[in-house]
Amino acid sequence: MIKVKLIIFMTAVMFLSAAISEADAQTAADQQKTTLIINADIVTMDATRPDAQALAFRDGRIVAIGTEEAVRQKIGSYDFFFDLNGRTIVPGFIESHDHAFMSSNTLLVEDVSPFTTPTLAGALTKIATVRPDKDGWIVAFGADQTLYEEKRGPTRDLLDPLFPNTPVIVYHLSGHGAFMNSEALRISGLDESTPDPAGGFYEKDDTGKLTGYLSGQPAFLPYKSYPSATHAAAVEKSKLSAEFGITTGSELAIMNAFVLEGVYQAVQDPDYATRLVGGYFSTAPDYEEIVPLLKNYETELFHIPFIKTWTDGSLQGGTAYMRNGYHDHTMGKGDSAQGSQAYFNELVLDIYRKGFWPAVHANGDAAVDVALNALENAKTEMGAANTENFRPQIIHAQVSHPEQFVRMKQLGAEPTIFTSHIYYWGDLHFERTLGPENIELMSAMKSAYDAGLRPAMHSDAPVAPVDPLLNMWAAVNRETSSGRIVGAQQAITPEQALAAYTINPAYQFGMEEDVGSLEIGKFADFVVLDGNPVKIDPREIRHIKVYATIMGGRVTYLDTPIYDRVTPLK
C-alpha cells in the first residue's frame, strides 16, 4: 500500500512538472490556470494560520490556503489537481548568504574541497592533472587544512614537485586564503621580507621561510583573482540550489560591473531556478559610478538592497578579529580588522546616504563590535527617523555575545549566522579557535532569538555545501561531524530553525510581503518534503528528503522517476 501511494504521489508531482514547466505551458493563458493541491501537511510559517491541508495557486501566486473544503469553496473551479498523500509542504528555503553566481566558478576549476576529496593526497593527485589557464596558471579550489584527514594543506613544498616552473594557486575553501607554489610566489613578488597586509598574513615555518599559505583576501587577491563565472555555470548552480529546496538565493559578491551584468543576464535565463538577492562590493573599482544605477538592474527575480563590506576575515582561516585572540595562538593572532573604526564609520554612513542597506561581514566578536559601532554612528548622524526603514545585516556573526545581539536589536540590524560551522568546523572551534570555555559563543542562535531578533542561517557556498536541512539539524542538535555536542545551551527549536530559513530571511531581505510564508497573495514558492521538520524526531531533520521545489508556481527541481504524462484528476 505504501508503495502504491508513493507511485501515485510521484506521478502527481511528475505531472505537476509537466503541466507547469514545459515551454508550451508558459504562455500568459496557461499561467492564469489554477492549480489545486490537497491532502498535504502544510507548515505555513504564518502565525495566523500555522498549518493547512490544501492550497491553490494561479499566475505564480497563492490564491487560497487552508482546509480542502475552504480552498475548494474559494477557488470554485481549477485546471490542475494533485493529491500529495500526506507529504509535507513548507515555504521555499531562502539562502540568506550565498555566492550563487560567483561560486558557480567552482564548477569551472578543479574541485579539491574536503567534501569531494577527503584527503590532501587525493587533492594533490587532482591538482597534478590540471592544465594551465589562459594566463598560464594552475588553478584549483577548496583546500582546507583543518578538514583534510592529514590536517595540513597543499603548501609550496608539496606543490613544487608537481609544478616546479608553472605558477600554482589553490584557493582556500573559506574564500579567505590561498596556497601558492614557489613559482607563483616569485611571479607575485612575495618573499620572506614582504610585510603582512592589513587583514591578512603570509604564513612562515619555524625557520622563517614562506610556506606558500596566504591567509586573508588582502594577501592573495592582488596577485591572482578568482576565475570569472560563466552564464551556463550560473544557471547550473541555480539548479543545484533548487535540489535542496532553495527558492531564493543570494549573491553578496557582486564585485564590479562585469559581475553585475553577468548576474543580471543569468537571472533572465528562463532556466534560472531561484530568485536572487544581491549586494554590491563597497570596494568595487567602479563603486561610485555603478551604485546609483543598481536599481535599474532589478527585476521580479533579482533584488539588490545591499552594499557589502567586511570587517575581518575567516574564523577557521585564522583572520577573524577577536576580542581576546584565538584560543590556540598558532591558528592566528586575531588582532586585526580590515580597516580602522573611522574607515567603517565613514563607509557605513555613506551606504546609508546612498539609500542602501549595509551587509557587513563580521566573524569575530571584535569585528562584530566594529560593525555595530559603525551602524550606531550612522544612526546618530542620520537620525533615528531617517534610518528606521533600513535593515542592515551582520553576516556570519560567528562569535557573538548576548549583549551584542541586544545591541543589534537596538540598531535595527539582523544577523545571518553561519551555522554550517557547527557541523563542519565545530571540533576545530572547540579545540583551537575558541576553546571549550567559549564555544557557546559560536553560531549563537538562541542568544539571537532571546534578544528578540529574527536571525537567519546560511551555508556561504562554496565555503560549505548548500543544505538547509543539515543547517537546521545542526542548529537544533549542536552536533559536530565527530558527534561531539558543542554549545548545547545555544540549541534552538525546530520551529525556530525553519523560521531561520524562511520567514526570517524574507524579512532581512525586505521580501516578507512576497515570500517566506505560505499566505494568500504571496508567491507560490514552496518545497515538498518526505517529512515534517517541526514534527519529526529532531535528530532526523538532516535526513528529510526534498521531493520537489516550486518557485512562483514553476517546478525547478523534481526527484522522481520518469512516468508517462497523465490526465489530472478533478
Side-chain angles (χ1 to χ4, degrees):
M1 187 63 178
I2 294 175
K3 184 176 181 180
V4 172
K5 286 185 176 181
L6 181 58
I7 290 175
I8 293 172
F9 163 74
M10 288 179 171
T11 304
V13 178
M14 188 62 205
F15 182 79
L16 178 63
S17 177
I20 300 171
S21 295
E22 289 180 355
D24 62 0
Q26 294 304 309
T27 65
D30 285 328
Q31 283 290 299
Q32 292 173 1
K33 291 180 178 179
T34 300
T35 297
L36 170 64
I37 297 176
I38 68 165
N39 198 13
D41 182 11
I42 304 175
V43 183
T44 68
M45 301 310 293
D46 173 11
T48 65
R49 183 192 285 119
D51 52 61
Q53 297 74 48
L55 67 81
F57 60 87
R58 180 175 57 247
D59 199 21
R61 290 185 181 266
I62 297 170
V63 295
I65 186 167
T67 65
E68 180 182 345
E69 180 182 6
V71 171
R72 284 181 180 273
Q73 184 176 15
K74 183 172 181 62
I75 65 173
S77 63
Y78 49 87
D79 301 282
F80 303 112
F81 170 94
F82 305 100
D83 184 334
L84 293 194
N85 293 298
R87 300 293 174 184
T88 298
I89 288 179
V90 299
F93 299 140
I94 300 172
E95 189 61 61
S96 57
H97 185 73
D98 188 12
H99 299 291
F101 181 81
M102 290 302 293
S103 70
S104 69
N105 62 16
T106 62
L107 301 175
L108 308 175
V109 298
E110 191 66 49
D111 177 7
V112 297
S113 71
F115 311 124
T116 61
T117 314
T119 67
L120 174 59
L124 292 169
T125 299
K126 283 186 172 182
I127 293 167
T129 67
V130 177
R131 294 186 176 184
D133 67 5
K134 61 181 178 60
D135 299 319
W137 286 63
I138 301 298
V139 179
F141 175 85
D144 191 324
Q145 62 272 46
T146 70
L147 294 183
Y148 285 137
E149 291 179 7
E150 297 92 335
K151 301 302 179 186
R152 63 169 302 190
T155 45
R156 68 191 292 191
D157 58 307
L158 300 176
L159 295 174
D160 284 352
L162 301 179
F163 296 98
N165 302 310
T166 305
V168 179
I169 185 165
V170 184
Y171 296 107
H172 193 273
L173 181 62
S174 68
H176 290 268
F179 294 87
M180 285 185 177
N181 69 343
S182 294
E183 180 63 8
L185 292 172
R186 185 190 68 78
I187 290 175
S188 302
L190 300 173
D191 60 27
E192 285 70 17
S193 66
T194 305
D196 289 339
F201 63 88
Y202 305 114
E203 184 181 72
K204 297 177 181 177
D205 63 20
D206 293 339
T207 68
K209 182 180 179 180
L210 292 176
T211 67
Y213 177 51
L214 290 64
S215 186
Q217 290 183 342
F220 70 91
L221 282 182
Y223 310 109
K224 181 66 172 175
S225 188
Y226 294 112
S228 299
T230 67
H231 181 96
V235 173
E236 179 63 22
K237 173 62 170 59
S238 75
K239 294 178 180 179
L240 294 174
S241 293
E243 289 185 19
F244 290 90
I246 302 296
T247 55
T248 299
S250 52
E251 178 50 86
L252 274 292
I254 303 178
M255 56 183 64
N256 52 46
F258 176 78
V259 174
L260 176 64
E261 183 64 25
V263 174
Y264 176 75
Q265 294 296 334
V267 177
Q268 303 309 302
D269 193 300
D271 289 331
Y272 199 84
T274 73
R275 305 182 194 285
L276 197 66
V277 173
Y280 204 71
F281 265 20
S282 64
T283 54
D286 49 17
Y287 178 74
E288 293 295 341
E289 174 188 355
I290 297 298
V291 168
L293 306 176
L294 286 178
K295 294 301 180 180
N296 296 335
Y297 287 85
E298 292 193 330
T299 69
E300 181 177 273
L301 293 181
F302 186 30
H303 177 47
I304 316 174
F306 295 113
I307 299 295
K308 165 78 179 296
T309 188
W310 46 96
T311 54
D312 68 349
S314 162
L315 183 59
Q316 73 274 26
T319 52
Y321 184 28
M322 310 278 279
R323 287 180 179 179
N324 298 310
Y326 280 79
H327 176 71
D328 178 350
H329 296 301
T330 65
M331 281 288 299
K333 296 179 181 179
D335 62 350
S336 176
Q338 293 193 1
S340 67
Q341 186 66 64
Y343 166 78
F344 286 109
N345 286 355
E346 182 178 348
L347 173 61
V348 169
L349 178 60
D350 181 65
I351 293 171
Y352 270 88
R353 285 174 171 165
K354 284 180 165 60
F356 287 86
W357 301 348
V360 187
H361 166 120
N363 267 309
D365 50 1
V368 172
D369 286 334
V370 171
L372 296 180
N373 290 344
L375 292 176
E376 183 174 5
N377 174 75
K379 198 176 186 73
T380 300
E381 291 289 329
M382 295 277 291
N386 295 321
T387 59
E388 62 180 0
N389 293 323
F390 286 75
R391 296 181 186 177
Q393 189 183 59
I394 305 299
I395 299 169
H396 305 321
Q398 268 296 83
V399 185
S400 297
H401 299 260
E403 68 272 15
Q404 290 180 310
F405 290 118
V406 171
R407 195 175 174 203
M408 289 181 204
K409 178 69 174 177
Q410 294 168 343
L411 294 171
E414 295 287 349
T416 174
I417 296 177
F418 196 174
T419 46
S420 301
H421 269 254
I422 298 169
Y423 180 71
Y424 291 112
W425 291 277
D427 291 309
L428 175 74
H429 299 324
F430 183 87
E431 296 165 2
R432 299 187 63 193
T433 62
L434 297 175
E437 66 277 9
N438 289 316
I439 195 66
E440 76 279 359
L441 301 177
M442 178 194 67
S443 299
M445 290 290 295
K446 187 173 186 302
S447 291
Y449 270 114
D450 288 347
L453 292 167
R454 308 182 204 195
M457 300 189 288
H458 64 265
S459 69
D460 197 18
V463 181
V466 171
D467 194 341
L469 289 161
L470 176 65
N471 268 358
M472 292 181 213
W473 171 87
V476 170
N477 293 281
R478 300 290 299 192
E479 186 174 328
T480 72
S481 58
S482 73
R484 173 186 278 152
I485 304 301
V486 291
Q489 59 271 50
Q490 288 296 341
I492 58 175
T493 68
E495 292 83 358
Q496 290 173 324
L498 182 58
Y501 254 103
T502 55
I503 194 64
N504 289 358
Y507 175 82
Q508 292 190 16
F509 284 170
M511 299 173 68
E512 69 273 20
E513 297 299 318
D514 288 316
V515 300
S517 62
L518 300 176
E519 304 178 54
I520 293 174
K522 291 194 175 186
F523 286 120
D525 289 11
F526 58 91
V527 189
V528 180
L529 305 173
D530 76 342
N532 188 322
V534 302
K535 294 179 180 177
I536 199 172
D537 181 339
R539 293 170 295 182
E540 298 301 317
I541 293 173
R542 65 178 295 192
H543 300 301
I544 293 174
K545 182 181 180 64
V546 174
Y547 272 130
T549 304
I550 291 85
M551 189 268 291
R554 175 170 66 94
V555 174
T556 54
Y557 171 69
L558 189 68
D559 182 18
T560 65
I562 300 300
Y563 286 91
D564 290 336
R565 181 166 176 167
V566 297
T567 301
L569 302 173
K570 290 196 176 184

